[in-house]
C-alpha cells in the first residue's frame, strides 16, 4: 500500500497496543482482544488522530492556515482537530451541531466542549438537522474573506484522505496479530461517519487479509450506513490504486443498537460501560464505543461469535463521559 506516497504529519503514538481482555472474555464466553486506539495520544487520544495525520499533511501541502470542521456538540473529532491545529500552528474554526437536543450544562460546556475551548478553537453552534456541508462552506468563506486559507475537514475526518489512517491501522492489526501468532476472526468497531469502518475494509481488502469487519451503527439505518461505508471504502481503495479490491459483501453494519438516536444513552449502554470498566478497567464512551460494546455483548450472548477471536477497536471518546454525567451517574 506504500502510504509514504501520501503527505502525513505524525500525531499519534503508534502502534497502539493490541491486548487481551481476559475477564470480559470470560464473562461473555468469547475470546476478545482490544485495539487501543484510545491511546493515540493527541488530546487524550481517539481514532480521529490517525485520520488527522493524513488530513493535516494534505492541508500543509495545500498551503492552508485554518482548519474548518464540524461535529455534534460533544464531538471527539472536533476535540482532536482543535488539538492538532494548536500543535501545528493552524487556526481552527468549528461548527457544533445540537444533534441530541440536550441543553444540560455538562453536555453543552463540559467534556469535549471544554477542551475545544482550551485548544483555542473558534466555535459556532447550529441547530440539529442543519445542512452541515453548507455550514462548513459558510465558515470557509468567512475565513477567506479575512485573508485566511481554509482547509475543510468533513465530520469525523471521513473522506478518502482521512480513511488512509485506518488503512494503516488495518496493516498494524495484521502485523501485531502475526507477531502474536494469533488468527483474528473478526474486527468490531463503532460505525458512524464511516471513515474508520471504510478505512479498515479498504486496507484489509487491498492487503488480501480476509478478516471481516462488523460495524455497530451509532446513527443511520443499516442500508444507509452500509451504502456510506461502501462508497467511501471504494473511494479509499481507488486512492490506493486498487478500486476493484472492495466488494459489497465486505461491508456489514448492524444498526440494531442505536437506541433512541445518535448520542442518546439508554440502560444497555450504561451496562456496557460498567461491564467493560469492572472487568478489564476499560473506559468507553456513551456515544460510540459504548454502543459498539452494547452490540458486542448482545451478539456474544446470542452465540454470534462462537469459537472466534474478536478484536474490538476502541476508538476513544472517554472525554465525552463528562458531558453525560447527569445521565450516567445515577445508574452507577
Amino acid at each position: 500500500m506504500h502510504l509514504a506516497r501520501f503527505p502525513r504529519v505524525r500525531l499519534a503514538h503508534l502502534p497502539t497496543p493490541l491486548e487481551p481482555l481476559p475477564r470480559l472474555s470470560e464473562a461473555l464466553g468469547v475470546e476478545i482482544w482490544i485495539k487501543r486506539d484510545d491511546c493515540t495520544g493527541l488530546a487524550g487520544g481517539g481514532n480521529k488522530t490517525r485520520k488527522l495525520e493524513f488530513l493535516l499533511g494534505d492541508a500543509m501541502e495545500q498551503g492552508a492556515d485554518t482548519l474548518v470542521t464540524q461535529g455534534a456538540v460533544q464531538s471527539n473529532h472536533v476535540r482532536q482537530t482543535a488539538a492538532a491545529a494548536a500543535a501545528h500552528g493552524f487556526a481552527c474554526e468549528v461548527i457544533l451541531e445540537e444533534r441530541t437536543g440536550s441543553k444540560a450544562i455538562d453536555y453543552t460546556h463540559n467534556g469535549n466542549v471544554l477542551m475545544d475551548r482550551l485548544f483555542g478553537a473558534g466555535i459556532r453552534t447550529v441547530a440539529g438537522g442543519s445542512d452541515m456541508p453548507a455550514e462548513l462552506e459558510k465558515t470557509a468563506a468567512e475565513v477567506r474573506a479575512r485573508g485566511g486559507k481554509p482547509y475543510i475537514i468533513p465530520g469525523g475526518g471521513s473522506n478518502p484522505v482521512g480513511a488512509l489512517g485506518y488503512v494503516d491501522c488495518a496493516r498494524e492489526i495484521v502485523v501485531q496479530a502475526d507477531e502474536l501468532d494469533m488468527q483474528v476472526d473478526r474486527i468490531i468497531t463503532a460505525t458512524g461517519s464511516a471513515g474508520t469502518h471504510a478505512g479498515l475494509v479498504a486496507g484489509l481488502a487491498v492487503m488480501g487479509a480476509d478478516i471481516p469487519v462488523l460495524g455497530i451503527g451509532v446513527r443511520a439505518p443499516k442500508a444507509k450506513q452500509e451504502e456510506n461505508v461502501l462508497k467511501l471504502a471504494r473511494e479509499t481503495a481507488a486512492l490506493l490504486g486498487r478500486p476493484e479490491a472492495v466488494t459489497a459483501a465486505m461491508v456489514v453494519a448492524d444498526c440494531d443498537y442505536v437506541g433512541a438516536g445518535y448520542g442518546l444513552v439508554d440502560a444497555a449502554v450504561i451496562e456496557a460501560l460498567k461491564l467493560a470498566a469492572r472487568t478489564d478497567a476499560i473506559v468507553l464512551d456513551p456515544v460510540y464505543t459504548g454502543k459498539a460494546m452494547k452490540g458486542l455483548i448482545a451478539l456474544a450472548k446470542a452465540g454470534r461469535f462462537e469459537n472466534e477471536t474478536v478484536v474490538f477497536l476502541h476508538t476513544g471518546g472517554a472525554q465525552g463521559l463528562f458531558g453525560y454525567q447527569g445521565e450516567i451517574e445515577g445508574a452507577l
Side-chain angles (χ1 to χ4, degrees):
M1 295 184 291
H2 196 47
L3 293 175
R5 292 176 292 162
F6 302 98
R8 184 175 187 177
V9 175
R10 298 287 179 169
L11 298 168
H13 300 169
L14 301 179
T16 58
L18 179 63
E19 303 172 337
L21 295 180
R23 299 190 67 231
L24 182 63
S25 297
E26 182 180 3
L28 298 180
V30 177
E31 185 176 356
I32 304 171
W33 289 62
I34 188 166
K35 179 63 172 165
R36 296 295 302 271
D37 272 19
D38 58 321
C39 298
T40 53
L42 179 70
N47 62 325
K48 312 307 181 186
T49 300
R50 288 187 188 266
K51 300 179 184 183
L52 286 161
E53 291 198 332
F54 292 93
L55 291 162
L56 257 69
D58 191 42
M60 287 183 175
E61 189 169 77
Q62 293 187 29
D65 60 17
T66 304
L67 304 183
V68 178
T69 197
Q70 60 93 357
V73 171
Q74 282 293 330
S75 170
N76 299 306
H77 161 69
V78 167
R79 163 181 42 91
Q80 288 162 85
T81 301
H88 289 276
F90 286 88
C92 185
E93 297 290 340
V94 302
I95 305 110
L96 298 181
E97 180 190 359
E98 296 176 326
R99 199 175 296 168
T100 70
S102 175
K103 299 295 184 181
I105 193 73
D106 51 356
Y107 186 81
T108 58
H109 287 78
N110 204 344
N112 284 308
V113 179
L114 178 62
M115 295 184 73
D116 298 340
R117 297 188 184 281
L118 183 64
F119 291 123
I123 298 173
R124 181 164 63 88
T125 303
V126 298
S130 295
D131 182 340
M132 297 310 286
E135 295 295 341
L136 285 172
E137 289 294 342
K138 177 181 176 181
T139 295
E142 292 169 354
V143 171
R144 293 186 196 100
R146 60 179 184 250
K149 296 180 179 179
Y151 181 84
I152 295 176
I153 299 176
S158 292
N159 61 15
V161 172
L164 291 174
Y166 275 85
V167 169
D168 193 34
C169 183
R171 175 201 60 78
E172 200 174 285
I173 290 170
V174 170
V175 169
Q176 290 175 313
D178 285 346
E179 289 172 348
L180 292 164
D181 292 324
M182 179 179 77
Q183 178 177 318
V184 177
D185 296 303
R186 190 179 309 274
I187 297 169
I188 296 178
T189 182
T191 183
S193 62
T196 298
H197 190 175
L200 288 172
V201 169
L204 293 165
V206 169
M207 285 188 291
D210 197 28
I211 301 173
V213 180
L214 174 61
I216 305 293
V218 301
R219 188 179 185 188
K222 177 181 174 67
K224 182 61 176 175
Q225 188 64 28
E226 290 182 343
E227 177 188 337
N228 292 344
V229 174
L230 179 60
K231 179 178 183 292
L232 183 50
R234 284 177 166 164
E235 291 172 350
T236 305
L239 191 59
L240 295 165
R242 292 286 307 283
E244 80 294 343
V246 174
T247 67
M250 295 175 180
V251 176
V252 180
D254 186 332
C255 299
D256 291 343
Y257 304 97
V258 174
Y262 175 88
L264 301 178
V265 178
D266 58 30
V269 171
I270 295 174
E271 288 305 309
L273 298 177
K274 287 163 62 175
L275 183 62
R278 295 175 185 184
T279 51
D280 293 291
I282 298 298
V283 182
L284 304 177
D285 83 292
V287 180
Y288 295 94
T289 53
K291 290 192 176 180
M293 183 59 71
K294 169 187 170 181
L296 188 160
I297 291 167
L299 292 168
K301 289 181 175 179
R304 173 75 178 274
F305 310 126
E306 189 173 353
N307 299 318
E308 289 189 1
T309 298
V310 172
V311 171
F312 179 82
L313 176 63
H314 191 334
T315 53
Q319 295 77 9
L321 281 169
F322 303 100
Y324 286 82
Q325 180 181 351
E327 295 181 70
I328 296 172
E329 191 172 33
L332 300 181

